[in-house]
Amino acid sequence: MRIQKYFRGSGRALAFIFIASVIWLLFDMAALRISFSDVNSRLIKDEIIRKERGKYKPREVMSSASFPNKKAHRFPLKKNERNGINESKMQNEVNKETFSETNRNLTRKQKLGLKVDTSQEDAFEKQLEQKHKTFKENRKSSDVKAFGIATGIPKKTNMSPNVDQLGLHDKDTKIKLKQEAHNEENATVEINRDKNAVGKVAVDLVKYLTKAPPVGQKQELHLNRPDKKLVLVASKAQSNKADEKRALEKIGISPKTNTDDNRVQFGHNHGGNDVIPPKEQVAQDNEEINPKTENNISKAMENVTNILNGKHFKSTFLNATTKAETLNVHFTIAVQHDVGTHKVLQMDVTQSPRNPNAPGQFGEPGVVPKDKEMVAKNKWKEGYFNVYLSDMIPLDRAVPDTRPSGCAENKVHNDLPTTSVIMCFVDEVWSTLLRSVHSVLNRSPPHLIKEVILVDDFSTKEYLKDHLDKYMSQYPKVRILRLKERQGLIRARLEGAAIATGEVLTFLDSHIECNVGWLEPLLERVHMDRKKVACPVIEVINDKDMSYMIVDNFQRGIFKWPLVFGWMGIPDEEIKRNNIKDSDPIRCPVMAGGLFSIDKKYFYELGTYDPGLDVWGGENMEISFKIWMCGGEIEIIPCSRVGHIFRGDNPYKFPKDRVKTVERNLARVVEVWLDDYKELFYGHGYHHLLNKKRMDIGDLTQQKELRKHLKCKDFKWYLDNVYPDLDAPLVRADDLLFNLGVRKCLSIENSTLSFQACDLNEKNQHFNYTWLRLIRQQNSCLTAIDKKGTVSLEQCDNAKHHLRWLHKSLILDPPFMDHLILEHLQQPFCLEGSPSVNTIKMTMCNSSSPFQKWKFTNYYVQ
């Protein structure tokens, strides 16, 4: 009765107003929440679109398990292994810190009933420990040495190998997805979730020992999501409504754990773990979802989305059955863009345990047997390295982990772009080519390798034809492109790039060995800035004993005149001043050219290589100048290491003369990119290239227009900002030209040569002694015009031989180094001052005459 009195008269009105206000407020809050959610979704979508590479890339870590579906990492099996279980033959090398995990994996194999050769494992473990200890004791880099201009090989240090290669096991929280295999054995796929990254799903394929089940029972974890969505599919169902209802109840929130081995659990907390459902095969005749079940499905989708986005980890788990009679449902769950990071994966997959006593194992020097030395000598010219030893060394040999300390702890993004690895070859040695390919496949995260493209530049060796096709057919990611005629390295690379489907192009030579953790650091730099071109540290595989040799730290690619590539260390004072660590990226003025990663779209924006370049030579200069001057950067990444055989000669023939081919290529680069500094190139022994009758370098119109289109900076900017320590004076000497006998300076008055009292303020007394050996004032150059020795002026032309004078270091005879000798005459005639007539003339050279001795005010080169 007391309550009713409050609802009489005005009290009743106030109550209704209050209740209505509360209801209205609840609706308003719900609408506001939905609005914020929509705004947040749009922002996330815009961010994903902006980043260009929003694809989720699952992170795969190899262990001692086999991978039946990863054919790109399998070696051909022996006949007696093909019909049996070969999982025990697949093994990953691990470092000293992961031996305990390896032992646990072995125990796990034994529980599964697989055969394990423990004697081989124990012996190999001891060998690894010994090699690790030896390497730590002996790994000392030698001092940074001077620039090696002859071979272009980075300075190297002999070293004992280190097998500390594989830190495979993350200690992140793990969730297990159990599947029933055809052989009734349980196999486990572990999925890591980084608690610090919302919506992050990274995959560690730690165990996958199941055989393929019969059709209709196949189950797999499928995380390839180009549209950034996770597709959840239940298997084909029988169409009775009771089964549908039972299945939907299990998709909703359930407080009990389903322990049936035939069911897949997902969304369970258990200490922060959550489980992602497998993607099942979906029949094309799937029925639509019953309208009565839509609410339940929406509820299930909301719960799964919350779990994937890191919400409700404390809730009870979400169950779905995978039996054949379950619901026939296909729906999509949006997942946030993966912006998390992980440590660089240290992969090194092998088909069978390595033999520690094999020749060249761990990068150690190989030895040719005494009775085979002549055979090895005869095979040398097949590759211009020790082909006999290469054939003895295992195709998947271990190499020492030569990365600086700290590289293994570096983190890279989970959403790295995929790459197409392009290797061009012509008549390459069989074992070296295969070892190059296997090192890429064995030591690269599979989800990052889109493909390996082998471009055969019209090889003549029979073993590189059908035999190579048959061998590589085992590896689905390897594609072979055969050119119908010889194109040369440069155009062969362009052919490979044209068919590549990866987001990043990674160019490698066909006689290399990739080291542990080589790929992700390169892709990380490109991912962070698409205009960065990342190069690995190129280490040395000895051409004589095939040993793997470490190189000095802080090396960068440079060039000396006339565009000769070499390596030079960063000065110690610069390292100290900028506090540079040995694992920091190094700005590189010029790349070596054979090994680098570049964003594919950016490569084509730059115009790729100059298509007018022939075969080989100069392409590294051209692409380097183009990258730097047109807004990009080149970096050497110390945490990425690739061994390379530096050969003393090319085993293949050039379509034309090798020297002329390289000279022509360099001349094209110089004319397009060096501006006023091109005379430094021609002045270092390439005067003959200026004669168009002797050397036709082709049409440069397209390349010059490209440079204008890209709005590239000039070469002076490159010298000032990228390579300031290069000595690049525009002339050899300049300013006043003083005669020691006359004691006056040469001048030009009304196109006439005469002597005047020296005065730096008089412009008519200023001369340049150019790199092309001309003595010039503006457009006028000195020359002898008749046999009487009369000296006059002529319009300058760099190609005219009779305008060139020798002076200082260009004269081999020391007594005449202060003279000016006309170059084209057979007899040595020198420029001489005549005080009586106040002019100059040509006379026979006399080393003791002061009237024949000249000096410029400034000398930039002696």
Side-chain angles (χ1 to χ4, degrees):
M1 296 297 294
R2 292 182 179 179
I3 297 175
Q4 289 181 354
K5 70 179 182 179
Y6 291 108
F7 290 94
R8 296 173 183 170
S10 60
R12 183 178 300 174
L14 289 174
F16 278 114
I17 292 173
F18 175 76
I19 294 172
S21 299
V22 171
I23 293 173
W24 179 264
L25 180 62
L26 291 174
F27 274 107
D28 195 34
M29 290 175 64
L32 184 61
R33 183 177 180 182
I34 292 172
S35 177
F36 277 126
S37 177
D38 290 342
V39 172
N40 187 48
S41 298
R42 286 197 298 271
L43 289 174
I44 292 175
K45 182 177 179 181
D46 292 341
E47 177 68 13
I48 292 174
I49 294 173
R50 185 185 66 81
K51 291 200 67 172
E52 294 186 8
R53 297 186 191 88
K55 291 185 180 180
Y56 174 81
K57 302 291 188 300
R59 169 166 69 99
E60 301 188 21
V61 178
M62 317 299 286
S63 77
S64 57
S66 67
F67 292 80
N69 294 330
K70 300 289 182 179
K71 292 186 179 179
H73 298 278
R74 295 176 60 189
F75 289 87
L77 299 178
K78 299 177 181 179
K79 290 183 179 180
N80 60 354
E81 294 175 331
R82 290 175 183 166
N83 297 324
I85 298 175
N86 65 347
E87 286 78 10
S88 62
K89 295 294 185 179
M90 177 68 78
Q91 170 180 324
N92 294 323
E93 305 269 18
V94 295
N95 61 16
K96 190 174 181 180
E97 288 76 9
T98 59
F99 283 149
S100 59
E101 184 64 27
T102 303
N103 292 334
R104 287 196 294 273
N105 289 338
L106 291 174
T107 303
R108 203 174 293 126
K109 285 185 181 181
Q110 292 167 345
K111 289 181 179 180
L112 291 173
L114 298 175
K115 296 180 180 180
V116 179
D117 189 348
T118 56
S119 62
Q120 281 192 346
E121 298 287 351
D122 294 340
F124 193 58
E125 180 176 324
K126 292 179 181 179
Q127 184 72 13
L128 291 178
E129 290 179 328
Q130 181 60 35
K131 298 298 180 184
H132 179 84
K133 182 179 180 181
T134 303
F135 173 71
K136 291 300 182 182
E137 292 174 352
N138 294 298
R139 181 177 178 178
K140 294 180 180 180
S141 296
S142 62
D143 294 334
V144 175
K145 299 180 181 178
F147 162 49
I149 200 170
T151 62
I153 300 177
K155 299 304 173 188
K156 53 186 178 293
T157 304
N158 286 317
M159 59 172 289
S160 298
N162 174 26
V163 293
D164 181 13
Q165 297 171 340
L166 301 172
L168 300 180
H169 301 283
D170 249 338
K171 294 184 180 179
D172 295 338
T173 329
K174 296 184 178 180
I175 21 172
K176 297 184 178 180
L177 172 64
K178 295 186 176 180
Q179 302 183 76
E180 182 182 4
H182 178 52
N183 58 3
E184 299 299 322
E185 295 177 357
N186 286 336
T188 302
V189 175
E190 294 186 355
I191 305 173
N192 287 355
R193 176 180 292 279
D194 187 341
K195 296 178 182 178
N196 297 324
V198 176
K200 171 178 175 292
V201 183
V203 179
D204 286 354
L205 295 179
V206 180
K207 285 288 183 183
Y208 197 163
L209 304 179
T210 59
K211 294 182 178 180
V215 177
Q217 297 182 20
K218 183 176 180 181
Q219 301 175 13
E220 60 178 296
L221 183 67
H222 188 81
L223 290 174
N224 182 19
R225 300 175 294 176
D227 57 351
K228 304 175 187 62
K229 292 184 178 181
L230 178 66
V231 179
L232 173 64
V233 184
S235 57
K236 184 177 180 180
Q238 299 175 358
S239 58
N240 67 76
K241 296 184 178 181
D243 288 340
E244 288 183 4
K245 182 178 180 180
R246 186 170 65 254
L248 285 172
E249 288 175 354
K250 292 186 179 297
I251 292 177
I253 297 295
S254 174
K256 58 185 179 179
T257 304
N258 194 330
T259 58
D260 190 340
D261 288 337
N262 291 327
R263 298 185 179 187
V264 179
Q265 300 176 354
F266 58 103
H268 192 350
N269 171 35
H270 280 290
N273 297 341
D274 52 313
V275 183
I276 308 298
K279 176 182 176 181
E280 296 289 336
Q281 298 292 336
V282 184
Q284 294 183 356
D285 58 346
N286 281 350
E287 299 177 0
E288 294 184 0
I289 300 174
N290 191 319
K292 295 180 180 180
T293 67
E294 287 183 354
N295 292 336
N296 289 334
I297 294 175
S298 299
K299 183 178 181 181
M301 290 174 63
E302 179 182 357
N303 287 326
V304 175
T305 304
N306 288 338
I307 289 171
L308 293 177
N309 291 335
K311 300 177 182 178
H312 303 320
F313 277 173
K314 300 302 180 183
S315 66
T316 53
F317 42 94
L318 196 61
N319 297 319
T321 180
T322 59
K323 285 187 175 181
E325 65 270 14
T326 57
L327 172 69
N328 182 16
V329 179
H330 185 185
F331 55 90
T332 299
I333 305 169
V335 178
Q336 288 189 13
H337 175 53
D338 182 9
V339 294
T341 60
H342 64 271
K343 291 181 181 179
V344 172
L345 305 181
Q346 303 178 65
M347 299 179 54
D348 196 6
V349 180
T350 59
Q351 176 66 24
S352 58
R354 288 190 172 109
N355 177 8
N357 299 317
Q361 192 66 276
F362 312 116
E364 290 184 341
V367 179
V368 177
K370 287 288 185 182
D371 59 337
K372 299 296 183 182
E373 289 180 351
M374 187 56 65
V375 177
K377 184 177 181 180
N378 293 335
K379 291 174 73 68
W380 179 273
K381 288 189 177 180
E382 292 181 20
Y384 282 95
F385 59 88
N386 198 327
V387 175
Y388 184 86
L389 264 183
S390 177
D391 293 343
M392 292 174 58
I393 294 172
L395 296 178
D396 63 344
R397 74 160 172 177
V399 295
D401 184 353
T402 57
R403 295 174 299 172
S405 58
C407 286
E409 300 300 316
N410 284 354
K411 290 191 174 183
V412 295
H413 284 83
N414 296 334
D415 57 344
L416 293 179
T418 60
T419 186
S420 295
V421 177
I422 301 172
M423 290 186 186
C424 302
F425 68 92
V426 55
D427 291 338
E428 185 61 85
V429 174
W430 173 262
S431 59
T432 311
L433 176 61
L434 265 57
R435 193 175 298 113
S436 301
V437 173
H438 282 302
S439 74
V440 171
L441 296 177
N442 294 353
R443 299 186 180 118
S444 307
H447 67 281
L448 296 180
I449 297 290
K450 186 75 171 181
E451 62 208 342
V452 177
I453 301 174
L454 302 181
V455 184
D456 178 9
D457 190 15
F458 204 59
S459 294
T460 60
K461 303 292 185 183
E462 286 299 321
Y463 61 76
L464 293 175
K465 298 180 181 179
D466 292 343
H467 189 43
L468 181 64
D469 289 340
K470 183 177 180 180
Y471 184 89
M472 290 302 174
S473 65
Q474 305 170 88
Y475 309 101
K477 289 191 176 183
V478 179
R479 304 168 62 188
I480 300 178
L481 172 64
R482 300 195 183 276
L483 305 184
K484 296 182 179 180
E485 60 181 1
R486 182 72 190 284
Q487 296 290 337
L489 173 67
I490 299 166
R491 295 192 185 105
R493 283 185 171 178
L494 295 179
E495 293 288 346
I499 67 169
T501 58
E503 299 163 87
V504 173
L505 304 177
T506 298
F507 294 101
L508 296 177
D509 283 345
S510 56
H511 35 272
I512 55 95
E513 290 180 63
C514 298
N515 212 315
V516 176
W518 74 282
L519 181 59
E520 287 181 299
L522 299 179
L523 299 182
E524 174 72 7
R525 299 305 291 178
V526 177
H527 175 64
M528 295 300 293
D529 185 346
R530 63 184 296 267
K531 291 189 177 182
K532 283 186 184 291
V533 178
C535 306
V537 171
I538 303 177
E539 300 190 296
V540 178
I541 300 174
N542 190 288
D543 59 343
K544 296 178 179 59
D545 60 22
M546 298 300 290
S547 59
Y548 191 102
M549 308 174 73
I550 192 173
V551 299
D552 295 335
N553 291 324
F554 305 112
Q555 296 285 313
R556 56 181 180 157
I558 54 97
F559 71 89
K560 296 290 187 181
W561 299 110
L563 297 188
V564 179
F565 177 82
W567 300 95
M568 181 177 288
I570 301 175
D572 290 340
E573 56 272 16
E574 183 176 343
I575 294 173
K576 294 178 182 177
R577 182 174 64 253
N578 297 312
N579 193 26
I580 303 175
K581 298 184 295 184
D582 58 2
S583 59
D584 289 340
I586 298 171
R587 281 165 56 95
C588 183
V590 178
M591 69 166 72
L595 296 79
F596 66 96
S597 293
I598 184 171
D599 181 272
K600 182 180 179 181
K601 291 182 180 179
Y602 183 55
F603 183 61
Y604 280 96
E605 287 171 15
L606 288 174
T608 70
Y609 289 110
D610 173 6
L613 300 179
D614 287 334
V615 190
W616 174 88
E619 79 284 352
N620 62 323
M621 299 291 169
E622 193 255 353
I623 196 73
S624 297
F625 296 151
K626 186 184 293 183
I627 291 168
W628 279 113
M629 294 166 63
C630 304
E633 296 181 50
I634 303 172
E635 292 181 338
I636 290 178
I637 313 302
C639 289
S640 174
R641 325 284 280 202
V642 177
H644 180 272
I645 301 175
F646 288 89
R647 304 182 293 197
D649 201 352
N650 296 103
Y652 51 83
K653 295 180 180 180
F654 280 68
K656 300 177 182 178
D657 180 81
R658 174 183 176 179
V659 174
K660 290 183 179 179
T661 298
V662 175
E663 287 180 348
R664 179 185 178 279
N665 288 351
L666 290 175
R668 286 185 65 89
V669 175
V670 165
E671 288 293 333
V672 175
W673 296 102
L674 262 61
D675 304 329
D676 295 336
Y677 293 84
K678 62 186 177 183
E679 286 194 11
L680 277 84
F681 169 76
Y682 292 118
H684 281 81
Y686 287 101
H687 299 80
H688 60 281
L689 298 180
L690 294 168
N691 187 342
K692 304 304 180 185
K693 295 180 180 179
R694 294 183 59 184
M695 176 67 70
D696 179 15
I697 63 174
D699 185 17
L700 298 173
T701 303
Q702 184 179 358
Q703 292 303 301
K704 291 181 177 180
E705 288 297 324
L706 173 66
R707 180 177 169 179
K708 290 181 182 178
H709 173 72
L710 295 175
K711 299 179 180 179
C712 305
K713 298 179 174 65
D714 58 28
F715 195 73
K716 186 179 186 306
W717 175 91
Y718 171 84
L719 294 176
D720 292 342
N721 295 275
V722 180
Y723 194 11
D725 40 352
L726 176 66
D727 189 16
L730 287 171
V731 294
R732 298 179 68 92
D734 65 4
D735 281 350
L736 305 181
L737 181 54
F738 178 73
N739 185 277
L740 272 64
V742 180
R743 311 300 295 176
K744 291 183 179 180
C745 291
L746 190 65
S747 68
I748 298 177
E749 284 285 349
N750 299 322
S751 300
T752 303
L753 291 165
S754 63
F755 283 106
Q756 291 181 354
C758 297
D759 186 353
L760 279 171
N761 294 321
E762 292 291 337
K763 297 297 183 183
N764 61 348
Q765 295 183 19
H766 286 232
F767 291 85
N768 291 332
Y769 182 44
T770 72
W771 284 101
L772 294 173
R773 307 174 190 176
L774 308 182
I775 299 175
R776 69 183 298 167
Q777 186 179 103
Q778 297 180 354
N779 292 325
S780 299
C781 288
L782 271 66
T783 186
I785 60 173
D786 55 37
K787 295 182 179 179
K788 296 180 181 180
T790 305
V791 179
S792 183
L793 297 172
E794 185 177 325
Q795 185 173 357
C796 296
D797 186 340
N798 289 333
K800 291 184 177 179
H801 193 245
H802 67 275
L803 297 179
R804 297 174 187 161
W805 299 80
L806 302 178
H807 185 54
K808 289 297 184 181
S809 60
L810 298 176
I811 301 173
L812 300 178
D813 196 354
F816 294 95
M817 290 185 67
D818 290 334
H819 292 54
L820 286 168
I821 302 175
L822 204 57
E823 181 180 299
H824 75 285
L825 299 178
Q826 294 182 351
Q827 295 293 329
F829 276 80
C830 293
L831 186 66
E832 180 177 292
S834 177
S836 58
V837 293
N838 196 34
T839 187
I840 55 177
K841 60 181 180 179
M842 298 299 300
T843 60
M844 289 291 294
C845 293
N846 180 359
S847 61
S848 62
S849 172
F851 296 99
Q852 292 185 5
K853 296 183 178 181
W854 302 82
K855 286 192 175 181
F856 285 93
T857 305
N858 304 308
Y859 285 91
Y860 304 101
V861 179
Q862 288 296 323

